[in-house]
Amino acid sequence: MEENPDAIYDLLDEVGSEFDIEEDDGWNQLDDWEEPDTCEVLEDNFEEPTDTVQPENDSWDSEDNVPLSFFQKLSWKRGLLQSKPDFTNGDNPASTDTVLTPWQYFKKYLNDDFFQMSADFTARYYHQQTGKPLNLTSEDIKKFFGMHTIMGVIKFPRIHMYWQSKYLLPLVSSAMPRDKFYLLRVNFHIVDNLAVTQEQKERNKLWKVQPMIDLVRNRCRQLQRSKKIFSIDEQMIPFLGRCPVRQFVKNKPRPVGLKNFVVATSTGTVLDFEIYQGSTTNLPNRELGLGPSVILRLVETIPKESFVYFDRYFTTIPLMNRLTEMNIYGTGTIMSNRVKGCEFKKDKEMKRGESDEFIRTDQKISVTKWKDSRSVILCSTAYGSQPESTVERWDSNTKQRIEVSCPKVVKSYNQNMGGVDICDQMLEYYRTFFRTKKWPFKVILHLFDMAIVNSWQEYKTDHSSSQCKSKLLGLLDFRLQLGEYLLSGTKKREKEDESDDEVENQDERNPNKKRRTAAALPCEDKQFDGFEHWPVNDDLKHPLSCRFHGCDSRSRIRCMKCNVYLCLSKSKNCFVLFHKK
């Protein structure tokens, strides 16, 4: 020790990544820890050398509250980790005889109580600001969200264009006057501002949207987790205005906004999420750092022996230790400065497709460096470099595709890491994207779109596991049907655009007039809701075709809500049969 007084610090650097020190508050580590005597440390490390770690229920030193495994030496050596077998299907989802309608799936996330609550608090906020009453019902809020659903599909660069006579979109313009739509956008609230204390506001910066966060998140947590393959990543809620929790994330398609940490399946179904709000974010195990604490928060609801994938923002060796204790297999890219003791080959010394693997002496963690066009380092408790496979890559020198060796850990990571990215892609297809200065409304629209995407994922799973012969609805048709139902609600639909009626009632034998086209069939939610389907006898010169499937008769009886003509006589009752499922 006299010849090399820094030996103790070199030793501590080797085992430093395995520390698990409790703290009272804050993010800093080892604030109150007193450095042990140098000789005692050397004796504990070299008296009985071992390459294993302490068991999970490690004993603790009563004096300085440091685990005994703190003094054990763990090192890295070149070797091969035995990879876990690939998880394929898992438990098959329970088969179902019936497939629900888009609204029936969606209301599991946002039900009628949410729309009624929104109507009450919006009217209350408007009264607090202006002193005037606002007559608002849950049906108005449904129409409000239904309009945003349609606007996400049929996009105009300005909101007022939906009401302009030149570019009129009757489905939106007939649902609500333009001024009322603007009034709701400005005054929309889901909490009572005066009922929230200052202490609650300081403890939760997202208090204005917390009720909706809880509703959507609670349903996400109830979804099945049978496949046991999950990915965790950041998701951006785009917003460019002023916001106390706004973040900038480089290299994201929408880099500015609120940061949302999401755990999703490999197919893009969101199972849990946590919106980042700084020091007040609900994260456990903060002594490990922000990234690891996010992972430990999001894996709370996933089953044991699951495979979790994440990127280098989250990955650390202490996190892998904690996941191992929880019997969860973690795999992620990792920064080179977070792996001490692994002397990898330099990039210049490695050929394309070559890999270099290190394993820890306890045979629980593997760190693999792989050289493609660039080098990447992956850390895993489930996979190593073997068995290798081949992938096709473009060679700029030969101007053709070549086969390159690929380690098992890289192949598994590429196959299963993109769950959150798939969810983002689904959201971007039909996102309701209009400028607003109010960040809570931006978060509300994002959660609304997320609920639609997750509802569609549930519908798709049920449709594949059932014997249903109907055609699978794509996300576009699913969203349009949901928007149509929200616009009509459970009350009588407003009067249809008069120009459409004029076209339908024109005489077919007049060549100077347009030929009428059959009215579109209503969505299933509206057709089978059993509410206010009233027959009306239209004064038509010629009866129109009955829209009941299989009927070739004509009728003058029209359903006021569905706006289709159906037979209603002593011999035929297509009107009743059409509205029965």
Side-chain angles (χ1 to χ4, degrees):
M1 291 301 298
E2 295 179 356
E3 297 178 357
N4 189 6
D6 295 333
I8 179 60
Y9 300 108
D10 296 337
L11 177 61
L12 291 178
D13 286 341
E14 294 182 2
V15 300
S17 60
E18 307 303 325
F19 292 176
D20 189 7
I21 309 302
E22 290 187 347
E23 58 178 339
D24 295 330
D25 191 15
W27 295 85
N28 296 325
Q29 302 182 18
L30 307 177
D31 289 338
D32 300 324
W33 180 71
E34 296 180 0
E35 183 179 0
D37 185 73
T38 303
C39 297
E40 294 178 359
V41 174
L42 291 177
E43 290 176 0
D44 289 340
N45 277 282
F46 293 103
E47 194 172 281
E48 295 181 1
T50 178
D51 289 336
T52 60
V53 294
Q54 289 289 86
E56 296 179 7
N57 51 353
D58 192 11
S59 56
W60 292 76
D61 192 311
S62 59
E63 296 182 358
D64 51 12
N65 198 31
V66 177
L68 296 181
S69 59
F70 173 91
F71 300 100
Q72 289 189 334
K73 180 179 180 180
L74 287 174
S75 60
W76 298 89
K77 63 179 182 180
R78 280 191 170 86
L80 300 176
L81 179 69
Q82 185 177 0
S83 298
K84 305 293 182 184
D86 288 333
F87 188 88
T88 53
N89 296 326
D91 300 331
N92 293 326
S95 60
T96 176
D97 297 332
T98 59
V99 178
L100 305 180
T101 62
W103 164 248
Q104 289 172 330
Y105 283 108
F106 179 79
K107 70 179 181 180
K108 296 178 182 180
Y109 294 85
L110 302 174
N111 53 21
D112 292 326
D113 294 337
F114 167 77
F115 295 105
Q116 185 60 51
M117 175 188 68
S118 303
D120 295 340
F121 287 130
T122 301
R124 187 178 303 178
Y125 176 79
Y126 179 81
H127 180 71
Q128 293 170 355
Q129 296 297 113
T130 64
K132 301 176 182 179
L134 178 62
N135 186 17
L136 203 60
T137 64
S138 61
E139 299 302 320
D140 295 326
I141 302 299
K142 283 185 179 181
K143 290 180 181 179
F144 178 67
F145 278 100
M147 294 167 73
H148 281 92
T149 304
I150 302 300
M151 290 176 177
V153 176
I154 306 174
K155 300 179 186 293
F156 283 175
R158 298 290 184 272
I159 293 181
H160 64 83
M161 295 178 66
Y162 290 95
W163 285 268
Q164 282 185 346
S165 58
K166 189 174 181 180
Y167 311 104
L168 189 68
L169 185 62
L171 188 60
V172 172
S173 61
S174 62
M176 183 182 296
R178 181 195 62 189
D179 292 345
K180 185 176 182 179
F181 180 81
Y182 280 136
L183 183 142
L184 290 180
R185 278 181 63 95
V186 172
N187 297 279
F188 188 83
H189 273 66
I190 57 176
V191 294
D192 185 2
N193 292 357
L194 301 181
V196 181
T197 64
Q198 186 63 31
E199 181 182 356
Q200 292 174 330
K201 293 179 181 179
E202 294 176 355
R203 190 169 60 248
N204 183 9
K205 297 179 182 178
L206 301 173
W207 60 272
K208 289 188 176 182
V209 293
Q210 193 62 47
M212 191 171 184
I213 292 176
D214 294 337
L215 286 173
V216 177
R217 182 162 55 196
N218 290 340
R219 175 55 190 168
C220 291
R221 290 180 173 182
Q222 295 172 5
L223 298 178
Q224 291 185 359
R225 289 154 167 78
S226 57
K227 292 190 175 181
K228 294 189 176 182
I229 298 178
F230 311 98
S231 61
I232 298 177
D233 204 352
E234 300 164 318
Q235 181 185 82
M236 296 304 295
I237 304 176
F239 183 71
L240 298 175
R242 292 185 178 181
C243 177
V245 294
R246 190 184 68 176
Q247 299 283 315
F248 173 82
V249 181
K250 187 179 180 181
N251 296 329
K252 286 285 185 180
R254 300 189 184 276
V256 183
L258 287 79
K259 186 190 297 185
N260 186 24
F261 297 110
V262 177
V263 55
T265 64
S266 57
T267 59
T269 303
V270 176
L271 301 178
D272 200 356
F273 61 91
E274 188 71 44
I275 301 178
Y276 181 68
Q277 50 178 310
S279 59
T280 58
T281 310
N282 180 26
L283 297 176
N285 303 289
R286 294 193 173 190
E287 70 277 2
L288 299 180
L290 175 60
S293 64
V294 170
I295 300 297
L296 296 176
R297 154 68 183 83
L298 294 178
V299 300
E300 292 175 349
T301 59
I302 69 174
K304 302 297 183 181
E305 298 184 354
S306 297
F307 294 81
V308 184
Y309 298 85
F310 34 84
D311 60 25
R312 65 177 192 167
Y313 178 82
F314 306 96
T315 311
T316 63
I317 300 300
L319 171 64
M320 293 301 187
N321 293 334
R322 190 65 61 87
L323 292 178
T324 302
E325 295 173 2
M326 299 170 64
N327 199 15
I328 294 177
Y329 304 117
T331 302
T333 55
I334 188 171
M335 302 179 190
S336 58
N337 60 358
R338 293 183 179 179
V339 184
K340 296 182 179 180
C342 296
E343 299 295 335
F344 290 108
K345 296 179 182 179
K346 296 182 180 180
D347 292 353
K348 296 180 180 180
E349 300 174 356
M350 300 179 68
K351 299 179 181 179
R352 189 170 191 178
E354 185 180 354
S355 60
D356 191 12
E357 181 180 359
F358 279 79
I359 59 173
R360 207 170 60 178
T361 51
D362 59 356
Q363 302 288 326
K364 291 185 177 181
I365 301 179
S366 167
V367 182
T368 304
K369 180 177 181 179
W370 180 56
K371 176 69 179 299
D372 192 12
S373 56
R374 294 182 180 179
S375 61
V376 62
I377 302 177
L378 292 97
C379 181
S380 177
T381 61
Y383 303 107
S385 61
Q386 300 298 323
E388 289 189 345
S389 58
T390 57
V391 293
E392 287 190 352
R393 291 291 187 267
W394 177 258
D395 188 3
S396 58
N397 296 326
T398 60
K399 305 298 181 184
Q400 61 181 1
R401 286 191 169 275
I402 60 174
E403 290 189 349
V404 177
S405 298
C406 179
K408 174 65 178 179
V409 62
V410 176
K411 181 180 178 181
S412 177
Y413 181 85
N414 290 337
Q415 287 179 342
N416 302 304
M417 179 54 194
V420 180
D421 294 332
I422 293 176
C423 177
D424 289 342
Q425 186 180 16
M426 297 295 108
L427 288 171
E428 286 297 331
Y429 280 150
Y430 312 112
R431 183 191 291 275
T432 307
F433 196 77
F434 288 109
R435 293 185 61 185
T436 177
K437 295 182 179 179
K438 297 181 178 293
W439 68 265
F441 189 67
K442 205 70 172 179
V443 176
I444 288 172
L445 288 181
H446 179 87
L447 295 174
F448 178 77
D449 290 336
M450 181 191 292
I452 294 178
V453 172
N454 252 32
S455 301
W456 176 68
Q457 295 279 14
E458 287 190 59
Y459 158 77
K460 194 168 62 168
T461 302
D462 289 349
H463 189 279
S464 62
S465 62
S466 69
Q467 304 298 327
C468 182
K469 297 182 180 179
S470 61
K471 183 180 178 182
L472 176 68
L473 293 176
L475 178 59
L476 173 62
D477 295 327
F478 186 93
R479 186 179 178 108
L480 286 175
Q481 287 197 18
L482 176 62
E484 183 182 353
Y485 177 79
L486 291 175
L487 288 175
S488 62
T490 54
K491 290 190 175 181
K492 186 174 69 174
R493 191 171 180 175
E494 295 186 13
K495 186 177 180 181
E496 298 291 333
D497 189 70
E498 295 181 359
S499 61
D500 293 340
D501 293 336
E502 292 176 2
V503 173
E504 293 180 359
N505 297 330
Q506 288 189 8
D507 190 355
E508 297 177 356
R509 292 171 293 182
N510 190 340
N512 297 326
K513 295 183 178 180
K514 295 181 179 179
R515 182 185 179 96
R516 71 162 295 278
T517 57
L521 290 174
C523 64
E524 291 185 358
D525 286 304
K526 187 200 300 185
Q527 181 179 347
F528 302 122
D529 64 1
F531 189 80
E532 290 194 354
H533 292 274
W534 304 112
V536 58
N537 193 343
D538 289 345
D539 186 15
L540 302 177
K541 187 175 182 180
H542 301 284
L544 300 178
S545 298
C546 176
R547 296 309 307 276
F548 181 65
H549 179 70
C551 180
D552 54 1
S553 302
R554 291 176 173 268
S555 175
R556 291 184 175 88
I557 304 300
R558 177 173 60 88
C559 176
M560 295 180 63
K561 186 170 185 177
C562 299
N563 194 36
V564 294
Y565 288 90
L566 301 163
C567 297
L568 184 59
S569 61
K570 291 183 179 180
S571 58
K572 278 192 173 183
N573 197 346
C574 296
F575 190 93
V576 174
L577 297 177
F578 180 80
H579 295 100
K580 283 186 177 180
K581 195 166 184 178

